[in-house]
Amino acid sequence: MEHDPSQVHLIVCGLPSELVVTAARGAGLGWYLEPVAEDLHQLAWFLSTDPPLIRGGRHNVVVFTEHAGPPADLAHWLAALAGAPAHELTLVLLRNEPQPNEPPLPAAVLAAHPELHPATTTLPPGRILVAVPVSHGHAASTWITALVAALPAGLAVGRATPIDEAQAQVWRYPLTLTRAPDPVDSDSGLGAHVVVVLSARDGVGTTSIALAVATYVAAQHRAEPPPRVCVADFDLREPTLSTLTMAAESSTQDSGALAGRVQRLAAVPLDVFTPANPPAPARTSATVDIGSILRVLCHSYDIVLIDTHAVDEDSHERLRPLIEAASQILLVTDPTRTSVRALDSLLTTLGAPEGHALPLRYLGLVWNRIYPGLVPPVEDLRHHKDLRHLQYLPDTGVHHTRAVNRGTYLRLLWDCPEWAARVHLLTEALFGPDRVTPITKAVARLLPHLHRDGRPRTAYRLRRTLVGRYRLQRDA
């Protein structure tokens, strides 16, 4: 049975966390990585919390090392989990290279504990896979290489990329959006981290998302020194950023060489830039020197979020400087098929050699206004295989309308924790977990309940039966 790599969850017990996340990222593993338990005691605690920290998915790959705990305890876990259906769980035991005349595992482990015989005699052959890492080579690569080699053929593991043994940076989560190299430009200094928010249709929420991410980054107080963050309004058709932020009531900063107005918000240390341009209907992208403005922004700020209008045939070439200066691009769509089909055409344009020839690894998709129970038409975009579906943002409904009418849109991040938690995960995907902390306790409580793309997690628990055995049960 073939499994979608994005739906497979990896649960590892008995290895250091740094070793697991480094190897999973370096190997290009397309699975979701659950919190790593370094021994059986910690694994039991992860599963016994309410709610459990390890939640599981449609298919789980559970990996134990032979040093995860005492042999008797390890045998109990193996026997309990081996009773789960094979289509729900793949059980792997990592062991050292066998010595001469040493009986094979896991039979040796189980046979040493006669009390487990009733639980193991009915196990089908090969239910517990044994992986033996080689003793030489890089530590981060040997265990995952052995794991992939031991897996059945029907269990897809994602893209087959070589393991980078020089991987030095450790990420806690594998879901991150790759950052493009900064363009070499002597006039702009080292270059800021530029995130451009695009859409194929107007009205899908690009302004809301650009402002939310910029606000979330600006609200991080533990960074020393704090990042200089700016959100720039390049939606020259229907600019709404000033309306959402009530920038007119904030203090105006000196724009210096910028052809426009820079205003500092009162609630968070965030600058809002609005280009100077003629009034509508004469307002077009051609009236703004985008390249000159970008050079000044990249020199003045560490992080720049850019809000744009919909990319169509009329504006595509005029927005080219924004697209090509981006470190990352967020594509925003709502779940309507008309929006998705327009986005499909835009993706083709962005990735085509005659267009921008942008690798899709620099592009992340955000599904906005997802109602409970609504399944977005993801299948319409499946042929864009490298596109990352970064986040599924819920519809904020009346909260959004009330906040806009009152001019307190930024308060949504503090008043709607369900939405703010997804913005937190989106911000992590863009800038890395090491730069983001929850802005409220409510957000911190919600994060263990969510997948990295914002979807609710399915809970699995180990429950003890009357005869003292354990069984894996999926919570409703």
Side-chain angles (χ1 to χ4, degrees), residues 255-279:
S255 60
L258 288 174
R261 181 177 61 180
V262 177
Q263 294 172 307
R264 171 63 60 89
L265 300 185
V268 291
L270 173 65
D271 287 353
V272 178
F273 170 74
T274 306
N277 54 339

Side-chain angles (χ1 to χ4, degrees), residues 10 12 15 19-31 33 63 94 131 133 138-151 157 163:
L10 177 62
V12 180
L15 289 174
L19 191 67
V20 175
V21 294
T22 302
R25 180 173 173 82
L29 200 64
W31 296 343
L33 180 61
V63 180
L94 285 176
H138 191 264
S141 64
T142 55
W143 78 268
I144 204 163
T145 303
L147 168 64
V148 173
L151 294 174
V157 296
I163 296 174

Side-chain angles (χ1 to χ4, degrees), residues 20 34 48 56 60 94 97 99 134 155 164-165 227 251 260 289 312 331 362 407 436 468 473:
V20 175
E34 291 279 1
S48 62
N60 298 284
L94 285 176
E97 288 184 284
Q99 301 299 319
V134 294
L155 193 62
D164 181 9
E165 296 188 0
S251 59
D289 187 354
D312 52 29
L331 300 169
Y362 304 142
V436 185
Q473 176 175 311

Side-chain angles (χ1 to χ4, degrees), residues 118-130:
T120 59
T121 52
T122 59
L123 293 181
R127 182 65 185 92
I128 303 175
L129 304 177
V130 179

